Amino acid sequence: MDKKEVAAVLEEIALLLELAGENPFKVRAYATGARAVLTFPGDLAAARRAGQLAQVKGIGKSLAGVIAELLSRGEAAVHRELKDRTPPGLLELLQVPGLGPKKARVLFHELKITNLGELEYACRENRLITLPGFGAKSQEKIKAALANLSRYAGLFRLGDLLPLVESLAAKWRSAPGILRLEVAGPVRRGLEVAGAIDLAVATDHPHQVLAGLEKILGAEFGARGPGRAETTLPQGVPLRLTLASPEGFGAAWLAATGNDNHFLALQGLAREHNLELTPQGLLAEGVRQSAREEADVYRRLGLPLIPPELREGLGEIEAGQQRRLPRLITAADVRGCFHVHSYYSDGDNSLEELLAAAQQRGWSFLGLSDHSQSAYYAGGLKAPDLERQKQEVEARRREHPDFALFWGVESDILGDGSLDYPDDILQGFDFVIASIHSQFNLKQEAMTRRILTALAHPCCTMLGHSSGRLLLAREPYACDLEAILEFAGAHQVIMEINASPYRLDLDWRWLRRAKELGILISINPDAHSLEGLDDVNYGVMIARKGWLAPEDVLNTYPAAEVARILSRRRAG
Ligand SMILES: [Zn+2]
Ligand SMILES: [Zn+2]
């Protein structure tokens, strides 16, 4: 087990304990332990061998025993016991936004609800209205959340699928009979949610490959037509496998990557060139042509290699034919980022730690933005906290003269569209991200007016997570994005791609419009931890999906130029 897996089990133990109504100190010990494991800088297994686990801050003796068990056996007795005495559906209830362990316990004890189906039924019967801690409003909310859960059933976030498919690919590349193995499907295209993961394999012995993988997985593959097989992974995610000969691998990889519209268009183009393109290869008058690489296929069709993120059937083939595909931004173009939370509000880390992590990534600037005062639930900063933070920022700047630390804030947009501090405070920041964190249920017109009012403030540098969606959990709030983008374009407001894999908001489908309007995009990780900084990479995928070039993205400019851009609006 790696750190993430160990931490996930500890977290689940904490939840199960809480569901069982156990001592809160014990619950907290496991939750703290999970965090301690995640942020432990060294090698967990080595610390265990050296007998040092119990000395790690946040772990302690009894947790060290549980962690040691997890590391050596892949499971822990206490976890097993808790799971055995908890109804299996009870954990499912926690998927409903707003339902924590305490409320789930009430549902279980008072109404004997043990799974989502029973909860839905209880809502239909209005049983939550008189339940302590619930009520008519919360029943309405739960009903809506349940409708969303079933709408989202069978879908997974890119942030969960990409690490999963990459780790499988790394493990399986050396499996018997596999000459080449690549990630394909919607995940390769950087789509924000998908229903499955796809791998494409080059092999001369497909049966050997399938038998070998079945052995590794301990599960069977079902056939899905020639060269295709499918199974479900232990994580519940369907896996689709495409198998092809090395000569036809390029065509197979293209077909397995999709999307369908893109591949269909390529097939049409092939016919115009008197070729036949199938998921097995490329034929000219029945004779097999080399299609080892995707580029071989594109070349025969008169096209440059079209990056996977663009393969959505949205004009990329025409643009390729006219040689006007953009040079897409890459992760290597990124020189820094904005929207980072520190432990002044709800982040995990100190300024010094964040700065060091940014430098480690080769970046030359970082834009710190903690929550503003109204975000009390997230430790939003009051005026005296701001003063303290400003002094620390200045001290850090003196220590790192060759690094640009920008001091900003993520200001709540209040109900009337005003920002969360008086103007004299707002003017003191290098930048202000304006975000909505409350009152999501306004009508479209009122919400649009509220956001436009915030953007009209001369101190507002960028708009944070513009639709407010949480992927597979919360729908966007109602607002007129076209009007918002037009305003942003006209007033030099930067738009955020919130790169948290839970958000990926602005939606990539709006990025080409934003670019047309001359809007600069900032890829913001909304990081609450050091690893969170790496979410920038998801943002880069989304930017690529939106056809963005380096010059369209604030993160790619040198620090001095970034400073100029931040002040341009106030300079008028
Ligand atoms: Zn936010
Ligand atoms: Zn944030």
Side-chain angles (χ1 to χ4, degrees), residues 434-436 447 451 463-469 476-479 481 484-485 495-498 503-507 510:
S435 300
I436 286 190
M447 187 60 105
I451 295 173
L463 177 63
H465 40 75
S466 51
S467 87
R469 75 175 179 192
Y477 36 68
C479 69
L481 255 173
I484 290 166
L485 290 177
M495 294 295 286
E496 166 181 281
I497 292 177
N498 190 295
R503 294 184 182 270
L504 300 177
D505 181 15
L506 196 58
D507 191 298
W510 283 95

PDB file of all heavy atoms in Angstrom, residues 434-436 447 451 463-469 476-479 481 484-485 495-498 503-507 510:
ATOM      1  N   ALA A 434     -12.323  36.950  -7.281  1.00  0.00           N
ATOM      2  CA  ALA A 434     -13.681  37.049  -6.747  1.00  0.00           C
ATOM      3  C   ALA A 434     -14.405  35.738  -7.008  1.00  0.00           C
ATOM      4  O   ALA A 434     -14.408  35.240  -8.127  1.00  0.00           O
ATOM      5  CB  ALA A 434     -14.411  38.203  -7.424  1.00  0.00           C
ATOM      6  N   SER A 435     -14.971  35.161  -5.938  1.00  0.00           N
ATOM      7  CA  SER A 435     -15.615  33.849  -6.059  1.00  0.00           C
ATOM      8  C   SER A 435     -16.931  33.814  -5.304  1.00  0.00           C
ATOM      9  O   SER A 435     -17.075  34.466  -4.275  1.00  0.00           O
ATOM     10  CB  SER A 435     -14.734  32.748  -5.455  1.00  0.00           C
ATOM     11  OG  SER A 435     -13.496  32.657  -6.093  1.00  0.00           O
ATOM     12  N   ILE A 436     -17.845  32.997  -5.821  1.00  0.00           N
ATOM     13  CA  ILE A 436     -19.112  32.778  -5.118  1.00  0.00           C
ATOM     14  C   ILE A 436     -19.014  31.515  -4.284  1.00  0.00           C
ATOM     15  O   ILE A 436     -18.636  30.457  -4.792  1.00  0.00           O
ATOM     16  CB  ILE A 436     -20.265  32.693  -6.134  1.00  0.00           C
ATOM     17  CG1 ILE A 436     -20.525  34.108  -6.634  1.00  0.00           C
ATOM     18  CG2 ILE A 436     -21.506  32.061  -5.513  1.00  0.00           C
ATOM     19  CD1 ILE A 436     -21.752  34.275  -7.444  1.00  0.00           C
ATOM     20  N   MET A 447     -28.275  36.308 -10.454  1.00  0.00           N
ATOM     21  CA  MET A 447     -26.923  35.767 -10.286  1.00  0.00           C
ATOM     22  C   MET A 447     -25.969  36.452 -11.267  1.00  0.00           C
ATOM     23  O   MET A 447     -24.847  36.820 -10.913  1.00  0.00           O
ATOM     24  CB  MET A 447     -26.942  34.250 -10.511  1.00  0.00           C
ATOM     25  CG  MET A 447     -25.624  33.580 -10.189  1.00  0.00           C
ATOM     26  SD  MET A 447     -25.106  33.814  -8.469  1.00  0.00           S
ATOM     27  CE  MET A 447     -25.445  32.196  -7.786  1.00  0.00           C
ATOM     28  N   ILE A 451     -22.664  38.726 -10.274  1.00  0.00           N
ATOM     29  CA  ILE A 451     -21.286  38.474 -10.715  1.00  0.00           C
ATOM     30  C   ILE A 451     -20.737  39.674 -11.482  1.00  0.00           C
ATOM     31  O   ILE A 451     -19.589  40.088 -11.281  1.00  0.00           O
ATOM     32  CB  ILE A 451     -21.230  37.184 -11.573  1.00  0.00           C
ATOM     33  CG1 ILE A 451     -21.591  35.974 -10.699  1.00  0.00           C
ATOM     34  CG2 ILE A 451     -19.848  36.996 -12.199  1.00  0.00           C
ATOM     35  CD1 ILE A 451     -21.741  34.663 -11.457  1.00  0.00           C
ATOM     36  N   LEU A 463     -12.098  36.153 -11.998  1.00  0.00           N
ATOM     37  CA  LEU A 463     -13.288  35.481 -11.478  1.00  0.00           C
ATOM     38  C   LEU A 463     -12.930  34.028 -11.187  1.00  0.00           C
ATOM     39  O   LEU A 463     -12.408  33.321 -12.052  1.00  0.00           O
ATOM     40  CB  LEU A 463     -14.426  35.549 -12.501  1.00  0.00           C
ATOM     41  CG  LEU A 463     -15.729  34.819 -12.112  1.00  0.00           C
ATOM     42  CD1 LEU A 463     -16.361  35.443 -10.870  1.00  0.00           C
ATOM     43  CD2 LEU A 463     -16.729  34.839 -13.268  1.00  0.00           C
ATOM     44  N   GLY A 464     -13.195  33.571  -9.936  1.00  0.00           N
ATOM     45  CA  GLY A 464     -12.910  32.188  -9.563  1.00  0.00           C
ATOM     46  C   GLY A 464     -14.046  31.261  -9.949  1.00  0.00           C
ATOM     47  O   GLY A 464     -15.184  31.701 -10.101  1.00  0.00           O
ATOM     48  N   HIS A 465     -13.723  29.985 -10.127  1.00  0.00           N
ATOM     49  CA  HIS A 465     -14.699  28.919 -10.479  1.00  0.00           C
ATOM     50  C   HIS A 465     -16.048  29.471 -10.909  1.00  0.00           C
ATOM     51  O   HIS A 465     -17.022  29.469 -10.163  1.00  0.00           O
ATOM     52  CB  HIS A 465     -14.849  27.893  -9.354  1.00  0.00           C
ATOM     53  CG  HIS A 465     -14.861  28.423  -7.944  1.00  0.00           C
ATOM     54  ND1 HIS A 465     -15.934  29.073  -7.402  1.00  0.00           N
ATOM     55  CD2 HIS A 465     -13.929  28.381  -6.964  1.00  0.00           C
ATOM     56  CE1 HIS A 465     -15.673  29.396  -6.145  1.00  0.00           C
ATOM     57  NE2 HIS A 465     -14.448  28.992  -5.859  1.00  0.00           N
ATOM     58  N   SER A 466     -16.110  29.859 -12.184  1.00  0.00           N
ATOM     59  CA  SER A 466     -17.198  30.719 -12.639  1.00  0.00           C
ATOM     60  C   SER A 466     -18.579  30.076 -12.664  1.00  0.00           C
ATOM     61  O   SER A 466     -19.569  30.788 -12.651  1.00  0.00           O
ATOM     62  CB  SER A 466     -16.875  31.286 -14.016  1.00  0.00           C
ATOM     63  OG  SER A 466     -16.501  30.234 -14.859  1.00  0.00           O
ATOM     64  N   SER A 467     -18.689  28.764 -12.711  1.00  0.00           N
ATOM     65  CA  SER A 467     -20.034  28.182 -12.721  1.00  0.00           C
ATOM     66  C   SER A 467     -20.404  27.585 -11.377  1.00  0.00           C
ATOM     67  O   SER A 467     -21.552  27.256 -11.135  1.00  0.00           O
ATOM     68  CB  SER A 467     -20.140  27.090 -13.795  1.00  0.00           C
ATOM     69  OG  SER A 467     -19.719  25.839 -13.276  1.00  0.00           O
ATOM     70  N   GLY A 468     -19.401  27.415 -10.496  1.00  0.00           N
ATOM     71  CA  GLY A 468     -19.670  26.862  -9.170  1.00  0.00           C
ATOM     72  C   GLY A 468     -19.930  25.373  -9.149  1.00  0.00           C
ATOM     73  O   GLY A 468     -20.245  24.816  -8.103  1.00  0.00           O
ATOM     74  N   ARG A 469     -19.769  24.713 -10.312  1.00  0.00           N
ATOM     75  CA  ARG A 469     -20.105  23.284 -10.324  1.00  0.00           C
ATOM     76  C   ARG A 469     -19.082  22.467  -9.526  1.00  0.00           C
ATOM     77  O   ARG A 469     -17.916  22.837  -9.421  1.00  0.00           O
ATOM     78  CB  ARG A 469     -20.138  22.767 -11.774  1.00  0.00           C
ATOM     79  CG  ARG A 469     -18.747  22.586 -12.368  1.00  0.00           C
ATOM     80  CD  ARG A 469     -18.828  21.965 -13.750  1.00  0.00           C
ATOM     81  NE  ARG A 469     -17.508  21.804 -14.348  1.00  0.00           N
ATOM     82  CZ  ARG A 469     -17.327  21.513 -15.628  1.00  0.00           C
ATOM     83  NH1 ARG A 469     -18.361  21.399 -16.433  1.00  0.00           N
ATOM     84  NH2 ARG A 469     -16.102  21.351 -16.105  1.00  0.00           N
ATOM     85  N   PRO A 476     -23.929  23.446 -11.992  1.00  0.00           N
ATOM     86  CA  PRO A 476     -23.577  24.872 -12.021  1.00  0.00           C
ATOM     87  C   PRO A 476     -24.749  25.727 -11.548  1.00  0.00           C
ATOM     88  O   PRO A 476     -25.890  25.316 -11.710  1.00  0.00           O
ATOM     89  CB  PRO A 476     -23.329  25.152 -13.504  1.00  0.00           C
ATOM     90  CG  PRO A 476     -23.206  23.844 -14.169  1.00  0.00           C
ATOM     91  CD  PRO A 476     -23.890  22.823 -13.314  1.00  0.00           C
ATOM     92  N   TYR A 477     -24.450  26.893 -10.942  1.00  0.00           N
ATOM     93  CA  TYR A 477     -25.564  27.781 -10.658  1.00  0.00           C
ATOM     94  C   TYR A 477     -26.006  28.460 -11.943  1.00  0.00           C
ATOM     95  O   TYR A 477     -25.277  28.497 -12.943  1.00  0.00           O
ATOM     96  CB  TYR A 477     -25.256  28.805  -9.567  1.00  0.00           C
ATOM     97  CG  TYR A 477     -23.856  29.359  -9.532  1.00  0.00           C
ATOM     98  CD1 TYR A 477     -23.375  30.189 -10.546  1.00  0.00           C
ATOM     99  CD2 TYR A 477     -23.014  29.070  -8.465  1.00  0.00           C
ATOM    100  CE1 TYR A 477     -22.103  30.700 -10.495  1.00  0.00           C
ATOM    101  CE2 TYR A 477     -21.728  29.584  -8.413  1.00  0.00           C
ATOM    102  CZ  TYR A 477     -21.276  30.398  -9.443  1.00  0.00           C
ATOM    103  OH  TYR A 477     -20.016  30.893  -9.395  1.00  0.00           O
ATOM    104  N   ALA A 478     -27.222  28.996 -11.903  1.00  0.00           N
ATOM    105  CA  ALA A 478     -27.762  29.621 -13.112  1.00  0.00           C
ATOM    106  C   ALA A 478     -27.073  30.957 -13.323  1.00  0.00           C
ATOM    107  O   ALA A 478     -27.107  31.816 -12.443  1.00  0.00           O
ATOM    108  CB  ALA A 478     -29.265  29.825 -12.935  1.00  0.00           C
ATOM    109  N   CYS A 479     -26.379  31.138 -14.446  1.00  0.00           N
ATOM    110  CA  CYS A 479     -25.879  32.466 -14.782  1.00  0.00           C
ATOM    111  C   CYS A 479     -25.603  32.531 -16.276  1.00  0.00           C
ATOM    112  O   CYS A 479     -25.445  31.502 -16.928  1.00  0.00           O
ATOM    113  CB  CYS A 479     -24.632  32.814 -13.964  1.00  0.00           C
ATOM    114  SG  CYS A 479     -23.194  31.852 -14.395  1.00  0.00           S
ATOM    115  N   LEU A 481     -23.261  32.961 -18.796  1.00  0.00           N
ATOM    116  CA  LEU A 481     -21.803  32.985 -18.965  1.00  0.00           C
ATOM    117  C   LEU A 481     -21.375  33.832 -20.154  1.00  0.00           C
ATOM    118  O   LEU A 481     -20.327  34.471 -20.121  1.00  0.00           O
ATOM    119  CB  LEU A 481     -21.275  31.563 -19.129  1.00  0.00           C
ATOM    120  CG  LEU A 481     -20.562  31.002 -17.901  1.00  0.00           C
ATOM    121  CD1 LEU A 481     -20.224  29.543 -18.083  1.00  0.00           C
ATOM    122  CD2 LEU A 481     -19.291  31.787 -17.579  1.00  0.00           C
ATOM    123  N   ILE A 484     -21.145  37.275 -19.013  1.00  0.00           N
ATOM    124  CA  ILE A 484     -20.007  37.424 -18.099  1.00  0.00           C
ATOM    125  C   ILE A 484     -18.689  37.465 -18.880  1.00  0.00           C
ATOM    126  O   ILE A 484     -17.820  38.307 -18.633  1.00  0.00           O
ATOM    127  CB  ILE A 484     -20.015  36.284 -17.056  1.00  0.00           C
ATOM    128  CG1 ILE A 484     -21.201  36.506 -16.101  1.00  0.00           C
ATOM    129  CG2 ILE A 484     -18.710  36.196 -16.293  1.00  0.00           C
ATOM    130  CD1 ILE A 484     -21.545  35.316 -15.248  1.00  0.00           C
ATOM    131  N   LEU A 485     -18.573  36.580 -19.873  1.00  0.00           N
ATOM    132  CA  LEU A 485     -17.342  36.574 -20.667  1.00  0.00           C
ATOM    133  C   LEU A 485     -17.204  37.868 -21.468  1.00  0.00           C
ATOM    134  O   LEU A 485     -16.108  38.428 -21.572  1.00  0.00           O
ATOM    135  CB  LEU A 485     -17.326  35.361 -21.608  1.00  0.00           C
ATOM    136  CG  LEU A 485     -17.145  33.991 -20.925  1.00  0.00           C
ATOM    137  CD1 LEU A 485     -17.206  32.863 -21.944  1.00  0.00           C
ATOM    138  CD2 LEU A 485     -15.828  33.916 -20.158  1.00  0.00           C
ATOM    139  N   MET A 495     -10.044  35.242 -16.494  1.00  0.00           N
ATOM    140  CA  MET A 495     -10.937  34.150 -16.086  1.00  0.00           C
ATOM    141  C   MET A 495     -10.096  32.977 -15.617  1.00  0.00           C
ATOM    142  O   MET A 495      -9.077  32.644 -16.217  1.00  0.00           O
ATOM    143  CB  MET A 495     -11.824  33.712 -17.252  1.00  0.00           C
ATOM    144  CG  MET A 495     -12.831  34.746 -17.722  1.00  0.00           C
ATOM    145  SD  MET A 495     -14.112  35.147 -16.492  1.00  0.00           S
ATOM    146  CE  MET A 495     -15.100  33.671 -16.576  1.00  0.00           C
ATOM    147  N   GLU A 496     -10.571  32.359 -14.546  1.00  0.00           N
ATOM    148  CA  GLU A 496      -9.873  31.211 -13.973  1.00  0.00           C
ATOM    149  C   GLU A 496     -10.329  29.902 -14.637  1.00  0.00           C
ATOM    150  O   GLU A 496     -11.503  29.715 -14.886  1.00  0.00           O
ATOM    151  CB  GLU A 496     -10.191  31.160 -12.465  1.00  0.00           C
ATOM    152  CG  GLU A 496      -9.828  29.863 -11.769  1.00  0.00           C
ATOM    153  CD  GLU A 496     -10.172  29.853 -10.279  1.00  0.00           C
ATOM    154  OE1 GLU A 496      -9.400  30.438  -9.492  1.00  0.00           O
ATOM    155  OE2 GLU A 496     -11.202  29.266  -9.894  1.00  0.00           O
ATOM    156  N   ILE A 497      -9.346  29.019 -14.917  1.00  0.00           N
ATOM    157  CA  ILE A 497      -9.696  27.600 -15.015  1.00  0.00           C
ATOM    158  C   ILE A 497      -9.361  27.055 -13.646  1.00  0.00           C
ATOM    159  O   ILE A 497      -8.189  26.933 -13.292  1.00  0.00           O
ATOM    160  CB  ILE A 497      -8.853  26.834 -16.057  1.00  0.00           C
ATOM    161  CG1 ILE A 497      -9.178  27.294 -17.469  1.00  0.00           C
ATOM    162  CG2 ILE A 497      -9.111  25.319 -15.932  1.00  0.00           C
ATOM    163  CD1 ILE A 497      -8.308  26.616 -18.532  1.00  0.00           C
ATOM    164  N   ASN A 498     -10.364  26.796 -12.843  1.00  0.00           N
ATOM    165  CA  ASN A 498     -10.100  26.184 -11.545  1.00  0.00           C
ATOM    166  C   ASN A 498      -9.705  24.741 -11.821  1.00  0.00           C
ATOM    167  O   ASN A 498     -10.486  23.947 -12.333  1.00  0.00           O
ATOM    168  CB  ASN A 498     -11.335  26.262 -10.657  1.00  0.00           C
ATOM    169  CG  ASN A 498     -11.024  25.861  -9.232  1.00  0.00           C
ATOM    170  OD1 ASN A 498     -10.679  24.716  -8.974  1.00  0.00           O
ATOM    171  ND2 ASN A 498     -11.122  26.812  -8.315  1.00  0.00           N
ATOM    172  N   ARG A 503     -13.543  20.360  -9.839  1.00  0.00           N
ATOM    173  CA  ARG A 503     -14.245  21.478 -10.469  1.00  0.00           C
ATOM    174  C   ARG A 503     -14.005  21.571 -11.987  1.00  0.00           C
ATOM    175  O   ARG A 503     -14.920  21.518 -12.776  1.00  0.00           O
ATOM    176  CB  ARG A 503     -13.806  22.800  -9.816  1.00  0.00           C
ATOM    177  CG  ARG A 503     -14.227  22.940  -8.362  1.00  0.00           C
ATOM    178  CD  ARG A 503     -13.830  24.331  -7.871  1.00  0.00           C
ATOM    179  NE  ARG A 503     -14.128  24.583  -6.472  1.00  0.00           N
ATOM    180  CZ  ARG A 503     -15.262  25.095  -6.021  1.00  0.00           C
ATOM    181  NH1 ARG A 503     -16.222  25.404  -6.863  1.00  0.00           N
ATOM    182  NH2 ARG A 503     -15.451  25.308  -4.736  1.00  0.00           N
ATOM    183  N   LEU A 504     -12.770  21.778 -12.394  1.00  0.00           N
ATOM    184  CA  LEU A 504     -12.414  22.015 -13.801  1.00  0.00           C
ATOM    185  C   LEU A 504     -13.398  23.000 -14.429  1.00  0.00           C
ATOM    186  O   LEU A 504     -14.131  22.692 -15.360  1.00  0.00           O
ATOM    187  CB  LEU A 504     -12.320  20.688 -14.566  1.00  0.00           C
ATOM    188  CG  LEU A 504     -11.252  19.741 -13.969  1.00  0.00           C
ATOM    189  CD1 LEU A 504     -11.218  18.408 -14.678  1.00  0.00           C
ATOM    190  CD2 LEU A 504      -9.866  20.388 -14.003  1.00  0.00           C
ATOM    191  N   ASP A 505     -13.362  24.202 -13.891  1.00  0.00           N
ATOM    192  CA  ASP A 505     -14.372  25.229 -14.122  1.00  0.00           C
ATOM    193  C   ASP A 505     -13.625  26.557 -14.255  1.00  0.00           C
ATOM    194  O   ASP A 505     -12.918  26.931 -13.317  1.00  0.00           O
ATOM    195  CB  ASP A 505     -15.288  25.230 -12.871  1.00  0.00           C
ATOM    196  CG  ASP A 505     -16.411  26.221 -12.934  1.00  0.00           C
ATOM    197  OD1 ASP A 505     -16.694  26.718 -14.017  1.00  0.00           O
ATOM    198  OD2 ASP A 505     -17.010  26.478 -11.857  1.00  0.00           O
ATOM    199  N   LEU A 506     -13.640  27.225 -15.310  1.00  0.00           N
ATOM    200  CA  LEU A 506     -14.470  27.306 -16.481  1.00  0.00           C
ATOM    201  C   LEU A 506     -14.463  26.004 -17.288  1.00  0.00           C
ATOM    202  O   LEU A 506     -13.415  25.421 -17.518  1.00  0.00           O
ATOM    203  CB  LEU A 506     -13.900  28.470 -17.334  1.00  0.00           C
ATOM    204  CG  LEU A 506     -14.715  29.084 -18.445  1.00  0.00           C
ATOM    205  CD1 LEU A 506     -16.027  29.654 -18.009  1.00  0.00           C
ATOM    206  CD2 LEU A 506     -13.913  30.148 -19.157  1.00  0.00           C
ATOM    207  N   ASP A 507     -15.617  25.606 -17.752  1.00  0.00           N
ATOM    208  CA  ASP A 507     -15.753  24.448 -18.612  1.00  0.00           C
ATOM    209  C   ASP A 507     -14.987  24.710 -19.917  1.00  0.00           C
ATOM    210  O   ASP A 507     -15.060  25.794 -20.479  1.00  0.00           O
ATOM    211  CB  ASP A 507     -17.242  24.241 -18.914  1.00  0.00           C
ATOM    212  CG  ASP A 507     -17.513  22.922 -19.588  1.00  0.00           C
ATOM    213  OD1 ASP A 507     -16.985  22.716 -20.714  1.00  0.00           O
ATOM    214  OD2 ASP A 507     -18.240  22.097 -19.030  1.00  0.00           O
ATOM    215  N   TRP A 510     -16.212  26.534 -23.136  1.00  0.00           N
ATOM    216  CA  TRP A 510     -16.311  27.988 -23.245  1.00  0.00           C
ATOM    217  C   TRP A 510     -14.975  28.645 -23.592  1.00  0.00           C
ATOM    218  O   TRP A 510     -14.914  29.858 -23.816  1.00  0.00           O
ATOM    219  CB  TRP A 510     -16.813  28.574 -21.918  1.00  0.00           C
ATOM    220  CG  TRP A 510     -18.278  28.401 -21.718  1.00  0.00           C
ATOM    221  CD1 TRP A 510     -18.895  27.395 -21.026  1.00  0.00           C
ATOM    222  CD2 TRP A 510     -19.322  29.241 -22.222  1.00  0.00           C
ATOM    223  NE1 TRP A 510     -20.253  27.561 -21.071  1.00  0.00           N
ATOM    224  CE2 TRP A 510     -20.556  28.687 -21.798  1.00  0.00           C
ATOM    225  CE3 TRP A 510     -19.345  30.406 -23.005  1.00  0.00           C
ATOM    226  CZ2 TRP A 510     -21.779  29.249 -22.106  1.00  0.00           C
ATOM    227  CZ3 TRP A 510     -20.576  30.971 -23.310  1.00  0.00           C
ATOM    228  CH2 TRP A 510     -21.775  30.395 -22.872  1.00  0.00           C
TER     229      TRP A 510
END
